Amino acid sequence: MSKKLFLLDAYALIYRSYYAFIRTPIVNSKGFNTSAIYGFTTVLMEVLEKQKPSHIAVVFDHPSQTLREKEFANYKANREETPQPIKEANPWIRKIIEAMNIPIYEHEGYEADDVIATIARQAAENDFEVFIMTGDKDLAQCVNEKVKIYRPGKQGANAEVLGIEEVKAKFQISDPLQIIDLLGLMGDAVDNIPGVSGVGEKTAVKLLEEYGSIEGIYEKIDEIKGKLKDKLVDGKENAFLSKRLATVESNVNVDFDERALIVEAPNREALTPLLAELEFRTIGRRLMGEDFSVVQAKKASSSAPTLFDDPTEESDPFDDGIPAANNITNTPHTYHIADTSEKQDELVQLLLQQKEVAFDTETTGLDSMDTDLVGISFSCKEHEAWFVPMPDEENGIEAVLKKFKPVLESTSIIKIGHNIKFDWQVIRQYGVQVCAPFYDTMVAHYLIDANQRHKMDFLAENYLQYTPVPIEALLGKAGRRQKTMEVVPLKQLAEYAAEDADVTFQFKKKFDPLITQKELNKLLDEVELPLVETLQDMEWQGVQVDAQFLKDYSTQLGNEITEIKDKIYAIVGAEFNLDSPKQMGEILFDRMKIPYEGKKTKTGQYQTNEDTLTKLAESHPIIDNIVNYRELAKLKSTYVDAIPLLINEKTGRLHTTFNQTIAATGRLSSINPNLQNIPIRTDRGREIRKAFVPRDTDHIILSADYSQIELRIIAAISQDENMMAAFKAGEDIHTATASKVFNVDSSEVNRDMRRKAKAVNFGIAYGQSAFGLSQTLNIPRSEAKEIIDNYFTQFPGIKQYMTDTIRFCKEKGYVQTLLGRRRYLPEINERNFTVRGQAERNAINSPIQGSAADMIKLAMVNIHKKLKASNLKSVMTLQVHDELVFDVYKTELDTIKPMIEHEMKVAIPGLEVPIVVEMGSGGNWLDAH
């Protein structure tokens, strides 16, 4: 009998299972979310049933600090906190694995990847056929003649098995081991592996194709020319660090005992009550026999046929009421290819007769300002669509698109897109616009349920019970985004592209009734859809960046960092890794004996995060130096060195991408760069804004910023008389608050009182507790409680708002902004205190933050309309938090300042508090702000 070992990457499968049911969680009669447990158990059963391994094991990450974290403090630093339902599911999943007599492996100091790689190596050496079950691309480096990757299919689809050739084709490499070089160059956002700044997947693949490895690249670095060489030289340290971080360790001290891995029948006595408690009826019947029931679980017959008795029929692993989705192979459809001038002319005439037309562009990349157009697809009827392939020459593309200009720029036909801003940006490069009316199905679904994912595949499976063709199936051996006629056959590309337009057309039919049902039509039509056009134009305009200033500033920061490091080493009397929390803790608290009062980590390590060090600032002068070092190092790497690499070579400007469908509160966010995170609280951080300059000497930067808008909205929503009176009187709100809370005259309020009042004012907006306030102000909890109690006594309307909002949310399941934007918070009725508490805080905050978001969005829409209607040369370029930034033609400054201020003030009329807009102008963003 051949030996077949399956190694399951526990957390990869647990996360996959949890998010598979995120829209419709599986909750038992006790209110316990069992999605992750159900999904994991189902996948485990599917493997045992269909793959029939002779050996199996499940591998978990150990909670201790890993070797990678010791080497690179920011490893996995940007991962979100584990969702509470996953934390709660973890012990149940472990119990089920143990009850099924499957061994669990984990090892202190190592990740699951390392343990899996070690066992896989040993098993392969002992003549096993090994399948690593994971979605983690890192483990593809383990693939060889004996070891494969096994990726479970979605919604009952077939699993994907990656051997040597499949890995090579998928990642466009010549050997699976090159995965580590690929990740070393391009980085990995999931694990926060930095890579070489400015080097993406496409460039990394080309470099490896020519030089074989990172070592090979740097051995022949002089052969590489231009900006790429500069990027590689500057990023050399990160390249080798990233390669080390991406390399899995296959020599962990793990005992390989193949007898322990043999598949055994489950421990019925242990498993039955678990399944009964979880109310997994179908799973129980499949494992224990047809007479299993939750009510009579403990009396299940020991002689009933089970999964391990070699069943003759395979059952659907998603048979607990979750239907498998349809796809292009079993759904009747008619997709046409308009690849001649005559066919394109006929298509234009057909589309001009329609009331609604969905369209989608096919491109070779994900950067709308730097990509090639491969084709465009249209649909105006369910299950029917047309694909228009583009010629290779740019002039030819313009000629083809010009034919469809009357459709896309029609003022009567509704153009439907899914993330239409991207498609608009792409075709605009060829002289074609999208004119209102238009409809964005991604934006519409964002309003329907902001908490969920809005990608096409997810929505199709959940709303249409349909699985679109995955991009991997389209590209095959070609690589991720190389959609060209040479790589992908026209018929295959046409089906893929036409399907996108078809699905988008169907989405609108599904979403329109939901928008009406939830009373979101006005918000969609008057705010979010017009905002698409505004953001598209802002992204198109871009902003001028002074790259030389950033280069000089980088040198300055580099010198300061060196000086601070030398100071720290001199104080300590030895050199150590300043980026290692472990070494930092040992130096500060063991060697230097600085008093440590906080809790240690689970592995017994000292905490050296910002909060901990801030509390120790008075203990020793080295603390300030360490804080300064961290600030400078982050500024340099994250902003000063990174921003110039994002400047578009064709336009010479920075074109950030604004995300309209990310934040559940309605706030905008941005990427490349993330403008919301550009520092403003410190002098060194503010310096970065000097790099954002006017486009030429005829322009000037103008900044318009709402003053304390969220506090003003709190006052307006709560109708609290004292807070409203303070704003109407033009008082400093924090001084006025301190006067009330501490029962002193305004003239007697000192800096400490105002500081505490300010913390309460902003903390209340986020549902802050006495414990949270005590942590923020570093004061006893009793004092924090007294301050909050006094606050609510003096501002009873705020307290009433909080009470009423939580009650409303518990009854309705959502909260809403002044304009009716909804945020669903089903967790507010959770039994778990932590989950419920977070939901209550979100309920309090969302109407406030969301109304502020709605307000600035409306202001942006109206300002953009007026700028266009007046044919002014000034343009809006950036939005950051409550601030708008403009590139103003100097002679227009006096004209547009009052217009901008007016539109920002009256964006949401009827607020019974004065709205204040602070404005400034200058030769750069910092001077203007």
Side-chain angles (χ1 to χ4, degrees), residues 701-851:
I701 298 293
L702 172 68
S703 166
D705 196 0
Y706 279 119
S707 172
Q708 299 173 330
I709 189 63
E710 289 190 9
L711 291 179
R712 294 173 192 273
I713 287 175
I714 291 173
I717 290 178
S718 68
Q719 291 287 290
D720 184 90
E721 293 181 3
N722 285 337
M723 186 168 279
M724 292 177 72
F727 278 123
K728 288 176 180 178
E731 297 178 38
D732 174 77
I733 190 62
H734 304 311
T735 300
T737 300
S739 173
K740 293 284 186 183
V741 169
F742 296 106
N743 193 27
V744 297
D745 187 80
S746 295
S747 61
E748 297 176 24
V749 171
N750 58 35
R751 291 180 64 182
D752 187 58
M753 290 177 179
R754 187 182 183 280
R755 178 180 70 92
K756 291 176 179 176
K758 183 177 181 179
V760 177
N761 274 332
F762 287 116
I764 289 299
Y766 293 88
Q768 191 175 55
S769 64
F771 174 76
L773 183 63
S774 71
Q775 294 291 302
T776 300
L777 294 174
N778 197 22
I779 60 176
R781 195 182 303 188
S782 57
E783 182 183 348
K785 183 179 184 303
E786 184 179 354
I787 291 174
I788 289 179
D789 288 345
N790 289 344
Y791 183 91
F792 286 141
T793 299
Q794 295 298 326
F795 300 100
I798 306 261
K799 178 65 174 176
Q800 192 62 48
Y801 157 76
M802 295 169 68
T803 303
D804 292 346
T805 301
I806 291 173
R807 183 188 302 118
F808 178 92
C809 191
K810 285 181 179 290
E811 292 173 359
K812 302 285 188 179
Y814 65 87
V815 289
Q816 57 188 9
T817 67
L818 291 169
L819 295 188
R821 180 186 304 279
R822 294 185 181 185
R823 182 176 184 182
Y824 287 88
L825 295 164
E827 306 88 2
I828 201 157
N829 290 310
E830 280 275 353
R831 295 181 182 181
N832 181 280
F833 175 81
T834 304
V835 175
R836 186 176 68 251
Q838 181 61 46
E840 290 177 352
R841 288 189 289 276
N842 286 335
I844 293 166
N845 171 251
S846 292
I848 299 162
Q849 196 175 119
S851 293

Side-chain angles (χ1 to χ4, degrees), residues 326 459-466 502-504 506-507 510:
N326 294 314
L459 297 181
E461 289 176 352
N462 283 276
Y463 286 91
L464 307 178
Q465 287 73 57
Y466 183 88
D502 177 17
V503 167
T504 300
Q506 293 182 58
F507 280 162
K510 289 287 184 180

Side-chain angles (χ1 to χ4, degrees), residues 282 288 366 564 613 635 681 771 900:
T282 302
M288 304 300 177
L366 297 173
I564 292 175
L613 294 183
L635 283 177
R681 294 183 181 178
F771 174 76
I900 292 169

Side-chain angles (χ1 to χ4, degrees), residues 147-255:
V147 180
K148 295 181 175 67
I149 298 292
Y150 182 95
R151 304 177 74 173
K154 296 180 180 179
Q155 294 284 356
N158 292 332
E160 181 182 19
V161 179
L162 303 177
I164 294 174
E165 294 307 315
E166 289 79 11
V167 170
K168 287 161 61 175
K170 188 178 186 66
F171 298 103
Q172 291 182 275
I173 52 182
S174 58
D175 188 298
L177 280 174
Q178 281 188 317
I179 283 287
I180 58 179
D181 296 282
L182 185 66
L183 294 173
L185 291 168
M186 62 180 278
D188 186 353
V190 174
D191 289 342
N192 202 33
I193 295 176
V196 176
S197 184
V199 174
E201 183 177 3
K202 192 173 180 180
T203 303
V205 167
K206 287 182 178 178
L207 286 168
L208 293 178
E209 185 177 353
E210 188 165 354
Y211 299 104
S213 67
I214 287 178
E215 290 80 1
I217 292 168
Y218 285 100
E219 284 173 7
K220 299 184 178 180
I221 192 68
D222 291 334
E223 293 181 6
I224 302 170
K225 306 298 181 185
K227 289 187 176 181
L228 178 57
K229 179 180 179 180
D230 294 340
K231 292 175 184 177
L232 289 168
V233 171
D234 292 342
K236 181 176 181 179
E237 185 177 344
N238 271 352
F240 283 97
L241 167 66
S242 300
K243 180 171 180 176
R244 291 196 300 274
L245 294 175
T247 303
V248 296
E249 173 60 63
S250 61
N251 289 294
V252 180
N253 186 21
V254 176
D255 292 330

Side-chain angles (χ1 to χ4, degrees), residues 866-915:
K866 289 204 169 183
L867 289 174
K868 286 184 67 177
S870 303
N871 291 317
L872 296 171
K873 295 181 181 179
S874 302
V875 293
M876 184 162 46
T877 56
L878 300 176
Q879 185 274 343
V880 182
H881 300 303
D882 303 320
E883 179 184 9
L884 299 178
V885 180
F886 300 82
D887 207 354
V888 178
Y889 196 59
K890 287 179 179 178
T891 59
E892 296 173 355
L893 182 62
D894 293 337
T895 302
I896 72 169
K897 278 182 69 176
M899 181 271 286
I900 292 169
E901 183 177 12
H902 173 74
E903 294 299 337
M904 290 179 74
K905 283 185 174 181
V906 303
I908 297 182
L911 296 177
E912 296 181 39
V913 293
I915 302 301

Side-chain angles (χ1 to χ4, degrees), residues 543-562:
V543 63
Q544 198 74 27
V545 172
D546 187 343
Q548 185 59 49
F549 168 81
L550 289 174
K551 184 178 180 181
D552 294 341
Y553 193 34
S554 176
T555 301
Q556 178 187 330
L557 290 177
N559 293 334
E560 290 184 40
I561 288 170
T562 300

Side-chain angles (χ1 to χ4, degrees), residues 218-384:
Y218 285 100
E219 284 173 7
K220 299 184 178 180
I221 192 68
D222 291 334
E223 293 181 6
I224 302 170
K225 306 298 181 185
K227 289 187 176 181
L228 178 57
K229 179 180 179 180
D230 294 340
K231 292 175 184 177
L232 289 168
V233 171
D234 292 342
K236 181 176 181 179
E237 185 177 344
N238 271 352
F240 283 97
L241 167 66
S242 300
K243 180 171 180 176
R244 291 196 300 274
L245 294 175
T247 303
V248 296
E249 173 60 63
S250 61
N251 289 294
V252 180
N253 186 21
V254 176
D255 292 330
F256 178 72
D257 181 0
E258 62 180 82
R259 292 171 300 178
L261 302 173
I262 295 173
V263 172
E264 298 180 9
N267 180 338
R268 299 174 65 86
E269 291 184 2
L271 187 59
T272 299
L274 288 174
L275 300 180
E277 182 71 16
L278 293 165
E279 301 174 6
F280 287 174
R281 296 172 179 83
T282 302
I283 289 177
R285 287 195 297 271
R286 286 171 63 188
L287 283 167
M288 304 300 177
E290 287 302 317
D291 59 345
F292 174 89
S293 72
V294 170
V295 178
Q296 300 293 331
K298 292 184 179 179
K299 298 181 181 179
S301 170
S302 60
S303 60
T306 76
L307 167 69
F308 298 93
D309 290 332
D310 193 22
T312 55
E313 291 186 5
E314 294 180 347
S315 53
D316 181 3
F318 293 92
D319 65 353
D320 273 21
I322 304 168
N326 294 314
N327 56 53
I328 201 168
T329 63
N330 58 17
T331 302
H333 62 279
T334 306
Y335 293 161
H336 314 271
I337 301 175
D339 54 353
T340 67
S341 182
E342 293 76 15
K343 290 178 182 178
Q344 291 163 7
D345 292 339
E346 289 177 13
L347 175 58
V348 169
Q349 293 308 309
L350 173 67
L351 296 177
L352 286 172
Q353 298 171 33
Q354 308 303 315
K355 291 182 179 179
E356 298 181 336
V357 173
F359 81 101
D360 183 71
T361 59
E362 288 307 319
T363 62
T364 58
L366 297 173
D367 182 350
S368 60
M369 294 291 292
D370 185 20
T371 188
D372 295 324
L373 181 65
V374 175
I376 187 168
S377 50
F378 297 93
S379 177
C380 54
K381 182 181 178 183
E382 289 186 23
H383 306 306
E384 186 170 14

